[in-house]
Structure formats: C-alpha cells, structure tokens
C-alpha cells in the first residue's frame, strides 16, 4: 500500500461482516472530520494453503472475485458517491498481519468487533483482538448492528 502520500490516513478492514460495514461507515465519518483519506483493506487467503501440498490453484480468481465483491459492498454500504472517497486494497495474506502493515503511519486503524467466522458469543474476533494488541497506532473496534 502507498504509505508515502502526505496527509493523514484512516485504515479500515472490510471482510463482508456487519461489524466491518459499521467500521467502514465510522472510518469515513471520522476521516471527514480530520481531513484524512480512507484506505479500505480486504484480505483474502486460501483456506488450508499453508502446511500441506495441494494441486495448483488459480489464485487470481479469488483476488478478482474479492475486488468485485468489495466494490459492490462499498457501494451498498456507502452509496455510489462516497465510494470515490475510499481507496481500496485487496491483499493476499493473513488478515491481522496485513492490517498491521497497512496501518503503519496511519492516524487510526478501524476494524469490526467480529468477522464472518468465529463464535457468535465472542466479544472480539481474533483479528480485532490481535490488531488491538499489536498496532502502532490507535485502534477503533466497532460493533455491528445487533442481529
């Protein structure tokens, strides 16, 4: 990600969960208040990719699907006009590690309280818990709408 651009940045993790949509809305509002740009980061990883040998997979297919889905989600969550104010990044790797790298030098890192996986009763997802303990910038954890 381009961290050399001057001015404050707000980094937000987007994974398709209700709490990540709430985090995205929060990040855009906050960025508007402080004059920052928003970098929305979607991370994809092939399950089971590490630790075993598997047949060759076309990894571009998953990345392209993730990019298309992210564009649709941003439009659904923010509206057509607001999507122009958000820079999107689709990155392959471990979600917590990618978000921590993306947030280097950022004003704030914003994540949802729970992602799409995990246990319904967990207060924090593994990614939000990890980044809250290891980020070099402030971290805002946003809860999704109650279901």
């Amino acid at each position: 990600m381009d961290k050399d651009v001057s001015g404050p940045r707000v980094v937000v993790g987007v994974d398709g969960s209700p709490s990540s949509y709430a985090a995205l809305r929060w990040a855009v509002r906050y960025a508007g208040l402080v004059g920052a740009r928003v970098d929305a980061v979607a991370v994809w990883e092939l399950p089971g990719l590490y630790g075993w040998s598997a047949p060759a997979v076309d990894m571009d297919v998953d990345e392209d699907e993730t990019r298309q889905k992210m564009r649709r989600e941003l439009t659904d969550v923010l509206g057509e006009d607001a999507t122009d104010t958000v820079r999107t990044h689709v990155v392959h790797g471990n979600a917590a590690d990618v978000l921590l790298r993306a947030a280097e030098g950022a004003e704030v890192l914003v994540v949802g309280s729970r992602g799409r996986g995990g246990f319904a009763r967990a207060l924090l997802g593994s990614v939000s818990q990890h980044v809250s303990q290891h980020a070099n910038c402030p971290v805002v954890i946003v809860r999704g709408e109650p279901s």
Side-chain angles (χ1 to χ4, degrees):
M1 262 163 273
D2 183 9
K3 296 178 203 104
D4 297 330
V5 177
S6 63
R9 291 182 311 118
V10 174
V11 175
V12 57
V14 180
D15 68 1
S17 67
S19 66
S20 80
Y21 294 157
L24 177 62
R25 287 188 292 272
W26 192 96
V28 169
R29 282 192 306 270
Y30 179 78
L33 293 172
V34 299
R37 114 175 160 249
V38 176
D39 287 335
V41 181
V43 182
W44 67 277
E45 184 172 33
L46 292 175
L49 183 63
Y50 305 104
W52 63 281
S53 178
V57 180
D58 182 4
M59 292 174 57
D60 291 335
V61 171
D62 289 330
E63 185 173 0
D64 290 341
E65 287 175 15
T66 303
R67 283 185 196 286
Q68 291 171 7
K69 184 176 182 195
M70 187 173 188
R71 277 190 223 104
R72 285 190 308 270
E73 289 175 349
L74 289 178
T75 301
D76 291 346
V77 172
L78 301 174
E80 191 70 43
D81 296 335
T83 57
D84 294 336
T85 65
V86 177
R87 291 172 24 137
T88 60
H89 307 276
V90 176
V91 183
H92 176 260
N94 174 277
D97 293 339
V98 168
L99 289 171
L100 289 172
R101 282 194 311 274
E104 290 174 5
E107 173 97 3
V108 65
L109 171 60
V110 185
V111 294
S113 59
R114 289 189 311 108
R116 294 187 308 171
F119 300 99
R121 292 192 176 142
L123 294 176
L124 288 179
S126 60
V127 173
S128 57
Q129 185 171 20
H130 186 84
V131 299
S132 71
Q133 295 171 351
H134 297 284
N136 291 323
C137 65
V139 175
V140 174
I141 300 172
V142 180
R143 291 182 58 114
E145 298 296 321
S147 46

